[in-house]
């Protein structure tokens, strides 16, 4: 199997806040996949994260969404260097977004929450 594009869908509590948040981080909006009910973030040439309003997501999945647990999901974006992560650290500070710095033997990353309550990580692999 060869995957040409990937789309990961997350529930959004507020599409406008979600769009503004990810655009403020510098991520590109995929307008061709976005609407009043959906905000799509382009990660790479063929990789996307889609934030979907609850009402629309309930139409798309076979089960009713009862109690979504936002804070148990992690959305990770790996960058090419520590200097890119440092740039994002300054950007998060200027946007007054609280984050946690984590340094492990193999990676360094920043972790914070988006307006929907999802954990976001921006980091890099040290020996990649």
């Amino acid at each position: 199997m060869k995957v040409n594009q990937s789309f990961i869908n997350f529930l959004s509590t507020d599409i406008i806040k979600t769009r503004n948040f990810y655009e403020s981080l510098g991520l590109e909006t995929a307008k061709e996949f976005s609407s009043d009910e959906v905000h799509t973030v382009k990660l790479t040439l063929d990789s996307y994260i889609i934030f979907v309003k609850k009402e629309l997501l309930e139409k798309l999945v076979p089960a009713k969404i009862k109690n979504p647990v936002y804070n148990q999901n992690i959305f990770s974006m790996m960058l090419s260097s520590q200097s890119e992560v440092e740039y994002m650290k300054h950007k998060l500070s200027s946007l007054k977004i609280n984050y946690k710095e984590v340094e492990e033997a193999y990676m360094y990353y920043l972790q914070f929450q988006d307006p929907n309550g999802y954990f976001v990580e921006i980091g890099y692999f040290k020996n990649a």
Side-chain angles (χ1 to χ4, degrees):
M1 174 173 76
K2 182 180 178 189
V3 177
N4 291 323
Q5 289 183 309
S6 63
F7 296 87
I8 299 170
N9 294 267
F10 287 117
L11 184 62
S12 176
T13 56
D14 187 318
I15 292 294
I16 293 169
K17 280 184 183 176
T18 299
R19 182 191 68 227
N20 292 342
F21 180 82
Y22 284 99
E23 285 180 350
S24 74
L25 293 180
L27 292 169
E28 180 183 348
T29 294
K31 292 180 182 170
E32 66 274 25
F33 302 120
S34 297
S35 70
D36 291 340
E37 296 182 300
V38 175
H39 176 70
T40 304
V41 175
K42 186 172 187 172
L43 297 176
T44 66
L45 186 61
D46 299 312
S47 173
Y48 304 85
I49 297 291
I50 301 175
F51 294 94
V52 184
K53 285 175 92 171
K54 182 179 180 187
E55 297 79 15
L56 177 59
L57 192 58
E58 285 180 336
K59 291 178 188 176
L60 301 174
V61 296
K64 185 126 177 120
I65 300 168
K66 295 178 183 172
N67 296 312
V69 182
Y70 302 105
N71 61 7
Q72 290 185 353
N73 295 294
I74 300 172
F75 163 35
S76 299
M77 296 177 283
M78 302 312 287
L79 305 180
S80 299
S81 68
Q82 183 172 352
S83 62
E84 289 179 307
V85 177
E86 291 296 325
Y87 171 79
M88 289 306 300
K89 183 165 107 174
H90 295 293
K91 185 169 218 159
L92 293 171
S93 293
S94 71
L95 294 168
K96 297 183 178 21
I97 297 172
N98 294 325
Y99 63 88
K100 178 174 94 172
E101 269 183 276
V102 181
E103 182 143 7
E104 298 177 358
Y106 61 95
M107 71 185 288
Y108 168 72
Y109 61 93
L110 309 171
Q111 187 180 73
F112 52 96
Q113 284 186 286
D114 81 354
N116 302 298
Y118 296 114
F119 283 100
V120 178
E121 293 176 345
I122 296 177
Y124 83 101
F125 291 111
K126 292 180 179 180
N127 298 317

